[in-house]
Amino acid sequence: MENPVAKKWSQEVWFAIFTSFALFFVLFCFDYSTLLAADKRVLTPLVNKQENPLVISDNKTGSTGKNSGSDPCAGQYIYIHDLPSRFNSDLLKNCRLLTRGTKNSMCPYIENEGLGPLVEDYEGVLSNKSWFSTNQFMLEVIFHSKMMQYRCLTKDSSMASAVFVPFYAGLDVSLRLWDANISMRDSSAHDLLNWLSKKPEWKKMWGRDHFMVAGRISWDFRRQTDNTTDWGSKLRFLPESMNMSMLSVEASSWRNDYAIPYPTYFHPSRDSAVFEWQSRMRGRTRPYLFTFAGAPRPDLTNSIRGKVIDQCQTSNSCKFIDCGSVQNSCSKPVTVMRVFQSSVYCLQPPGDSYTRRSIFDSVLAGCIPVFFHPGTAYSQYVWHFPKNHTKYSVYIPVRDVMKDLTEGSIEKVLLGISKNEEASMREEVIKLIPKIVYADPRSRLETLEDAFDLAVKGIIERVEEVRRVIKEGNDPSVGFAEEDSYKYTFSQYNNRG
């Protein structure tokens, strides 16, 4: 006969085993489903989708930097292409070949990350060890050096708001500007664009987020024919290049060219150096009413240089620095800055092209620039100069040299400006100093934005505008590389005289 106690005990054991098993099964299923869901969340972004390059999504960092959480670089990341050395560093190694057609060697100017030799003898004119004998053609080297220290670089191109192409276009073209062989003159441009167009970064926006920098005027890269007598290379008219933007010391009339300041001799390594210099310029005594530093251009039809020089030399209130003399005082930083610091106004007529390095040397000296054509500054440096040009400069439009520059007309205009207005303009000029200098690439300013910072900000905004056009379903090529025939016309600017 079966023991009822044993039977009951056996039933309870089996019940306990069954209950434990059931509970374990439920918990296991719940935990596995949770892990599976989490696993799916991780794997989802890795699905490979074929993307239309003209239908782009937001950058990983956010397109404008808004709502970016804790990332201070959101919307500011830059990706740098690692170009073959023939497009940049090899050019510096062969610096003796860069000045064909001239007597000067470019080799000394490569020193100090492209800033050139340190100015040792200040002669009481310069303030500290922030001054260098900088050559304007070194801008692309200086910009590259500063970009390598940019605080928001990324090696992940998908995070980049813009893509920098460190091609030393100006130095490269200087090797071949006098070459009668057109194909040789354009060879580097073709090779560069062939290399770029094969990169995955290019296909993201077909190059419209790419930019490069040149220390020459952009017209040097816009040869429109294949006549051997025509100047420059065809870089900016090649199809791939038309999708890119170029920053140079002087922009052409095409919409994808942008002007940024010529490099000056001043490259501060700290904010205090800028503040000290600004204070010094505010306290300067300025015995000359106006100054002109330059050389005549007798071979240029309708050049106003000769008239400006004549009016300066016949005035007791003007100081003339002859850059065409044997001594060429204009190549000496101390000489130029000494005169500009002693002048109220600095005349800035066009020369071989619309713009002049002297514009920025005069601003650096607290000397109010006087312009005669809108293409010398107003239509050019839109990221660096105020839109209201009357706040910091004098404008005397010269459409016809013989009619608009009569004897003594420049001095008459300048004498008609009140002392209060003069002081106000000079203060605006002195405030511009941090915006038009390139700080030493080996350091970083703390609170001030220099010319480099404003240029990077400007190109990022430009690329974001293209992204907006694409997202709205419009064609980004419309207007991107078109010529603006009204860019350098006189009508949109008010004159002083």
Side-chain angles (χ1 to χ4, degrees):
M1 183 174 180
E2 187 177 10
N3 186 340
V5 176
K7 181 179 181 182
K8 181 179 181 181
W9 179 83
S10 177
Q11 291 174 340
E12 288 176 352
V13 170
W14 281 108
F15 179 79
I17 292 173
F18 175 81
T19 304
S20 299
F21 178 81
L23 181 60
F24 173 80
F25 180 81
V26 171
L27 291 174
F28 175 80
C29 290
F30 175 79
D31 187 54
Y32 180 77
S33 63
T34 304
L35 291 171
L36 184 60
D39 196 36
K40 285 181 178 178
R41 286 196 299 271
V42 172
L43 293 175
T44 298
L46 299 180
V47 175
N48 185 22
K49 296 180 180 179
Q50 185 68 34
E51 294 184 352
N52 181 343
L54 294 185
V55 180
I56 61 174
S57 58
D58 288 339
N59 290 347
K60 291 181 180 179
T61 59
S63 59
T64 63
K66 298 178 181 178
N67 303 319
S68 57
S70 60
D71 186 356
C73 287
Q76 301 177 59
Y77 282 109
I78 299 288
Y79 177 83
I80 303 179
H81 273 300
D82 185 14
L83 299 183
S85 60
R86 59 164 294 202
F87 296 117
N88 42 48
S89 60
D90 284 357
L91 292 166
L92 303 183
K93 294 175 183 177
N94 298 313
C95 57
R96 287 179 177 80
L97 304 176
L98 296 176
T99 48
R100 182 182 171 188
T102 70
K103 296 180 181 179
N104 299 321
S105 171
M106 290 291 285
C107 296
Y109 300 109
I110 295 171
E111 294 179 27
N112 298 310
E113 305 287 343
L115 303 183
L118 183 70
V119 177
E120 299 288 354
D121 188 1
Y122 303 152
E123 298 182 24
V125 177
L126 311 179
S127 58
N128 50 49
K129 293 186 177 181
S130 297
W131 296 81
F132 301 80
S133 295
T134 305
N135 186 291
Q136 68 184 49
F137 296 128
M138 285 289 109
L139 176 59
E140 51 215 52
V141 180
I142 296 170
F143 203 98
H144 187 194
S145 297
K146 288 185 68 64
M147 185 60 79
M148 294 302 292
Q149 302 301 322
Y150 179 60
R151 62 185 178 85
C152 293
L153 288 183
T154 179
K155 293 183 179 180
D156 182 355
S157 61
S158 67
M159 296 182 68
S161 293
V163 178
F164 177 51
V165 180
F167 173 42
Y168 295 168
L171 298 182
D172 177 80
V173 77
S174 70
L175 293 171
R176 303 174 177 87
L177 279 174
W178 291 267
D179 198 324
N181 188 326
I182 292 295
S183 61
M184 282 298 297
R185 226 189 287 178
D186 297 336
S187 61
S188 292
H190 284 289
D191 292 346
L192 171 74
L193 297 172
N194 183 55
W195 186 91
L196 284 174
S197 61
K198 293 178 180 178
K199 293 296 178 180
E201 291 80 17
W202 181 266
K203 296 176 176 62
K204 182 180 178 182
M205 292 179 67
W206 299 113
R208 292 186 181 90
D209 56 350
H210 284 48
F211 72 100
M212 53 188 166
V213 175
R216 303 186 70 95
I217 64 174
S218 59
W219 303 98
D220 287 348
F221 310 99
R222 287 192 175 275
R223 192 190 73 248
Q224 299 195 43
T225 76
D226 286 336
N227 295 331
T228 57
T229 55
D230 283 358
W231 180 259
S233 83
K234 214 171 186 177
L235 168 64
R236 297 297 285 138
F237 283 126
L238 298 178
E240 295 88 354
S241 182
M242 291 176 69
N243 281 5
M244 299 171 62
S245 297
M246 173 178 274
L247 316 185
S248 63
V249 293
E250 177 177 321
S252 70
S253 55
W254 276 263
R255 296 181 187 274
N256 57 342
D257 285 340
Y258 299 88
I260 59 178
Y262 285 77
T264 66
Y265 303 113
F266 185 48
H267 303 283
S269 58
R270 62 188 191 281
D271 291 21
S272 60
V274 179
F275 298 143
E276 289 168 7
W277 181 255
Q278 287 176 304
S279 178
R280 183 168 177 165
M281 291 305 96
R282 289 186 178 100
R284 289 287 303 179
T285 299
R286 300 177 184 269
Y288 303 118
L289 176 64
F290 60 115
T291 286
F292 175 63
R297 293 292 189 270
D299 297 332
L300 292 180
T301 306
N302 296 324
S303 172
I304 70 173
R305 286 288 189 97
K307 286 286 186 178
V308 167
I309 292 172
D310 289 344
Q311 292 202 24
C312 183
Q313 290 182 317
T314 57
S315 171
N316 294 326
S317 303
C318 186
K319 177 67 176 178
F320 173 52
I321 307 177
D322 187 359
C323 298
S325 65
V326 177
Q327 294 82 8
N328 189 11
S329 299
C330 298
S331 64
K332 302 172 183 177
V334 171
T335 303
V336 173
M337 294 306 295
R338 177 186 286 116
V339 176
F340 283 1
Q341 291 174 31
S342 302
S343 306
V344 177
Y345 300 100
C346 289
L347 308 184
Q348 305 296 346
D352 298 323
S353 65
Y354 287 119
T355 65
R356 311 180 69 221
R357 172 183 176 154
S358 175
I359 299 168
F360 302 97
D361 290 334
S362 68
V363 170
L364 183 58
C367 186
I368 302 165
V370 180
F371 298 116
F372 302 87
H373 193 287
T376 306
Y378 307 146
S379 301
Q380 296 281 351
Y381 308 103
V382 295
W383 295 338
H384 297 80
F385 283 162
K387 187 174 183 179
N388 182 359
H389 65 85
T390 62
K391 294 179 64 176
Y392 70 94
S393 68
V394 177
Y395 180 43
I396 306 175
V398 177
R399 297 173 178 83
D400 186 301
V401 173
M402 302 306 294
K403 293 181 179 178
D404 297 334
L405 274 187
T406 56
E407 184 176 349
S409 58
I410 297 174
E411 184 171 2
K412 181 180 178 180
V413 170
L414 299 180
L415 287 173
I417 300 171
S418 70
K419 291 298 180 182
N420 287 340
E421 192 173 2
E422 171 194 310
S424 177
M425 283 192 288
R426 181 160 53 250
E427 179 59 25
E428 287 299 322
V429 168
I430 292 172
K431 287 179 180 178
L432 286 174
I433 290 175
K435 298 180 180 181
I436 59 93
V437 299
Y438 295 91
D440 193 320
R442 297 163 295 186
S443 60
R444 184 175 295 155
L445 300 182
E446 296 176 2
T447 63
L448 298 173
E449 289 184 315
D450 72 348
F452 169 85
D453 295 321
L454 294 176
V456 171
K457 182 183 293 185
I459 195 63
I460 287 176
E461 289 176 355
R462 162 69 164 170
V463 174
E464 288 304 327
E465 175 62 21
V466 175
R467 284 195 176 96
R468 184 189 64 78
V469 169
I470 295 173
K471 289 176 184 177
E472 291 176 353
N474 298 315
D475 185 351
S477 67
V478 176
F480 183 89
E482 291 181 359
E483 185 176 14
D484 181 1
S485 57
Y486 295 99
K487 185 173 183 178
Y488 299 128
T489 58
F490 287 88
S491 60
Q492 56 184 316
Y493 298 98
N494 298 319
N495 65 298
R496 166 72 63 173

